């Protein structure tokens, strides 16, 4: 089976399992786990922030960030198909009591002008108490549903500067920020710098089995630990999991560009199949969306032939490339798509 459903389906290698089995552990709820503490320092350093907090999932990391940055009744500004607004089960409404102001971006990216047009500016004729406070701007880089697309540093700086002018905090959902950094050959701290807080995941392209980190100032992260506990994220000997993340950071970052090359090769192959459209300009990293008439049927036919992918909406299919996929798998996957479509 060639499994392109997600970059979260990776299996730990023997070397990663070895690192996990030898991890020195303690009770992380008491900050006694040396491996978790080492991971947190490593991630804070890499991202150029003061502190980091290891959490079980990217969803929890984002949810804690929103809870920390907002008060019930506030509004948060984010892209229309951002993970925080579309795939976290309404968590921000439930946990933080906030509403969403969604901006329809172009390939997942919006502009400073979009932010200014979305955030109401009080005027004597319309006093501030008639608007919910817009207190947080969220950006997703790479942007998953837009196709693993990259926000450039310039685009990022423009919207965060606008947010600061509007007295808003800024949070980056960087679940795949490692891919952004690899694709642009730019150190990851540069992408983190304009944001107050950043969430990164180890369980996506990096190939660790579990975990994410929320990164920011020391005071912010210390306070955020209260919500980690409240949301049920206090783990005990989680150094076993953190060891997989450390191994992934040390060994699997440089190879992310291989996933990007495999994704682009696959996208080029399928773009030549009759009945398939794919915008090659948005294949920036490890995710490919391509359009067909009946995605459900194509996905089913591909599955029968040994290729797993996901449908998205009424016309799209998603294929995600990761460390379990070779260049030959990419070619074989495209041949299976051609076969499945030709056979309909
Ligand atoms: C952009 C983005 N943010 C956050 C998450 C949530 O991560 P997790 O599955 O670890 O909760 C995902 C998951 O795929 C994602 O794609």
């Amino acid at each position: 089976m060639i499994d392109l459903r997600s970059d979260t389906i990776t299996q730990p290698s023997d070397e990663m399992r070895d690192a996990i089995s030898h991890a020195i552990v303690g009770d992380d709820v008491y900050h006694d786990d040396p491996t978790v503490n080492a991971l947190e320092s490593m991630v804070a350093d890499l991202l150029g922030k003061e502190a980091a907090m290891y959490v079980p999932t990217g969803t929890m990391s984002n949810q804690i960030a929103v809870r920390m940055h907002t008060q019930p009744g506030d509004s948060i500004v984010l892209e229309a198909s951002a993970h925080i607004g579309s795939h976290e089960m309404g968590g921000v409404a439930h946990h933080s009591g906030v509403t969403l102001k969604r901006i329809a971006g172009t390939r997942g990216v919006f502009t400073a002008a979009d932010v200014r047009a979305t955030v109401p500016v009080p005027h004597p004729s319309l006093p501030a108490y008639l608007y919910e406070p817009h207190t947080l701007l969220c950006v997703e880089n790479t942007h998953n549903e837009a196709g693993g697309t990259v926000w450039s540093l310039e685009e990022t700086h423009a919207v965060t500067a606008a947010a600061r002018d509007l007295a808003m905090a800024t949070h980056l959902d960087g679940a795949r920020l490692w891919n952004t950094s690899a694709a642009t050959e730019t150190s990851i701290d540069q992408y983190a710098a304009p944001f107050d807080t950043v969430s990164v995941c180890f369980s996506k392209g990096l190939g660790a089995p579990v975990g994410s980190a929320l990164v920011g100032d020391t005071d912010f992260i210390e306070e955020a630990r209260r919500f980690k506990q409240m949301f049920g994220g206090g783990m005990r000997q989680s150094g076993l999991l953190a060891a997989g993340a450390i191994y992934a950071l040390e060994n699997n970052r440089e190879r992310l560009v291989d996933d990007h090359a495999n994704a682009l090769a696959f996208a080029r192959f399928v773009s030549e199949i009759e009945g398939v459209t794919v915008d090659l300009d948005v294949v920036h990293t490890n995710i490919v969306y391509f359009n067909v008439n009946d995605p459900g049927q194509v996905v089913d036919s591909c599955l029968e032939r040994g290729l797993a992918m996901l449908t998205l909406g009424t016309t799209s299919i998603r294929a995600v490339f990761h460390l379990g996929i070779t260049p030959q798998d990419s070619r074989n996957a495209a041949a299976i798509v051609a076969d499945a479509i030709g056979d309909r």
Side-chain angles (χ1 to χ4, degrees):
M1 178 66 70
I2 303 172
D3 195 340
L4 302 182
R5 286 172 301 160
S6 176
D7 49 9
T8 56
I9 61 101
T10 53
Q11 292 287 323
S13 62
D14 288 346
E15 293 78 11
M16 185 184 281
R17 286 174 190 271
D18 198 44
I20 289 170
S21 70
H22 290 103
I24 301 168
V25 297
D27 188 334
D28 179 45
V29 172
Y30 298 112
H31 297 299
D32 273 352
D33 190 308
T35 309
V36 172
N37 296 345
L39 173 65
E40 290 181 345
S41 318
M42 187 177 177
V43 176
D45 282 352
L46 277 171
L47 292 179
K49 300 283 188 206
E50 286 175 7
M53 174 176 75
Y54 185 54
V55 289
T57 64
T59 299
M60 185 181 287
S61 186
N62 284 332
Q63 292 296 319
I64 293 172
V66 174
R67 181 66 188 82
M68 281 289 296
H69 284 300
T70 61
Q71 294 297 323
D74 288 0
S75 214
I76 68 172
V77 176
L78 73 179
E79 206 278 329
S81 57
H83 195 276
I84 290 176
S86 302
H87 298 291
E88 299 190 4
M89 307 299 122
V92 291
H94 184 80
H95 297 303
S96 302
V98 298
T99 51
L100 303 179
K101 290 291 155 59
R102 299 172 187 249
I103 299 174
T106 305
R107 58 172 181 83
V109 175
F110 51 84
T111 65
D114 292 329
V115 175
R116 285 194 212 96
T118 304
V119 178
V121 178
H123 180 269
S125 61
L126 272 177
Y129 60 76
L130 290 178
Y131 297 109
E132 63 274 33
H134 289 56
T135 45
L136 177 65
L137 178 80
C138 299
V139 167
E140 187 175 309
N141 194 5
T142 69
H143 193 295
N144 179 348
E145 263 195 39
T149 47
V150 167
W151 281 67
S152 70
L153 283 177
E154 293 70 27
E155 289 163 338
T156 299
H157 278 286
V159 295
T160 50
R164 268 192 302 280
D165 286 348
L166 294 158
M168 301 169 79
T170 53
H171 173 67
L172 173 61
D173 178 357
R176 295 183 180 78
L177 197 62
W178 315 107
N179 296 82
T180 302
S181 164
T184 57
E185 296 178 5
T186 305
S187 63
I188 196 162
D189 58 330
Q190 294 190 56
Y191 284 98
F195 292 92
D196 297 317
T197 53
V198 183
S199 171
V200 288
C201 294
F202 313 113
S203 56
K204 312 269 172 342
L206 289 184
V210 178
S212 297
L214 180 62
V215 189
D217 291 350
T218 305
D219 290 350
F220 184 99
I221 295 299
E222 278 318 300
E223 178 71 7
R225 291 190 189 281
R226 193 161 68 85
F227 290 108
K228 173 178 170 183
Q229 211 51 31
M230 184 191 288
F231 290 177
M235 298 181 285
R236 303 297 180 173
Q237 283 72 34
S238 45
L240 287 176
L241 305 173
I246 292 175
Y247 180 91
L249 284 172
E250 286 174 345
N251 295 280
N252 293 345
R253 284 182 66 200
E254 282 181 12
R255 59 152 310 285
L256 288 173
V257 290
D258 299 343
D259 299 339
H260 303 171
N262 288 339
L264 189 57
F266 172 84
R268 286 192 175 127
F269 287 132
V270 293
S271 71
E272 285 168 13
I273 301 170
E274 209 183 314
V276 173
T277 54
V278 48
D279 184 352
L280 293 174
D281 288 343
V282 302
V283 184
H284 295 171
T285 57
N286 66 328
I287 301 180
V288 178
Y289 284 101
F290 60 97
N291 296 318
V292 294
N293 269 342
D294 187 347
Q297 204 184 336
V298 173
V299 163
D300 289 346
S301 306
C302 287
L303 194 58
E304 283 165 17
R305 292 166 167 79
L307 169 64
M309 297 179 293
L310 296 181
T311 56
L312 192 97
T314 51
T315 56
S316 272
I317 297 179
R318 184 180 89 161
V320 186
F321 293 78
H322 51 80
L323 53 73
I325 300 298
T326 64
Q328 185 61 47
D329 289 333
S330 299
R331 285 192 285 277
N332 292 347
I336 291 174
V337 174
D339 192 37
I341 288 183
D343 220 32
R344 287 194 307 141

